[in-house]
Structure formats: structure tokens, C-alpha cells
Amino acid sequence: MSSLRIRTARVLAAAAAVLGLFVAPTVLIDPPAAQHQAQPCYNGITPGNPWETSCNFGPRPPKVRGGMPDQNAVIACRGFPGCLSAYINGP
């Protein structure tokens, strides 16, 4: 009877060791959350869409209705008639 208990204890100890080997790294390693968050901007310019925020240029100045457009709007509206006017005078 004691050999059965010893075998059972060895199997349980081995199972606990294997489980700990797979579970411990996931519990101990803390993933860097800042690297996985999306940026609120994109790389490049979308032609015809001056309202999107581009990472290529610095922070956008506050938009004033009827005011001067920023560099992203000027480049994005190149070749689209009425696009820059809609950006400047629109909501």
C-alpha cells in the first residue's frame, strides 16, 4: 500500500512541476502595455482626407473656421478641387 502512495505522490509532484513550468512565465512576465497601444495618428497622407491626423507632422494647430489650413490639409487636398475650401470653411 505504501508503494502506491509513493507512486501517486511522485506523479502528482511531477504534474505540479510541469504545470508550474508552463504557468509561471505567464504570471511573472509583465507585458509592456504602452507598446501595444495604437497611436492616435497614422503614417503618411491620405489624399482627399485632410481631417485625419498624420504622424509625419507635429501637433496640429487649433482649427479656426476661415483660418489658414495646416500642412497636412494642404498636402492631402492637392489635386482635389473644393477639398481645401471644405476643410477651411467646413465644421
Side-chain angles (χ1 to χ4, degrees):
M1 195 61 124
S2 68
S3 65
L4 181 62
R5 287 184 185 169
I6 293 173
R7 286 182 189 167
T8 306
R10 285 182 182 172
V11 168
L12 289 176
V18 169
L19 183 66
L21 196 72
F22 289 112
V23 172
T26 59
V27 173
L28 297 177
I29 296 174
D30 198 22
Q35 292 180 358
H36 298 293
Q37 293 179 352
Q39 293 182 351
C41 59
Y42 67 98
N43 289 326
I45 300 289
T46 304
N49 191 0
W51 293 275
E52 287 191 77
T53 305
S54 175
C55 291
N56 293 345
F57 306 111
R60 296 179 96 166
K63 185 175 176 300
V64 178
R65 189 174 188 161
M68 192 170 86
D70 59 350
Q71 66 272 20
N72 186 30
V74 172
I75 294 172
C77 285
R78 187 179 353 170
F80 291 92
C83 173
L84 199 56
S85 176
Y87 176 76
I88 292 171
N89 299 320

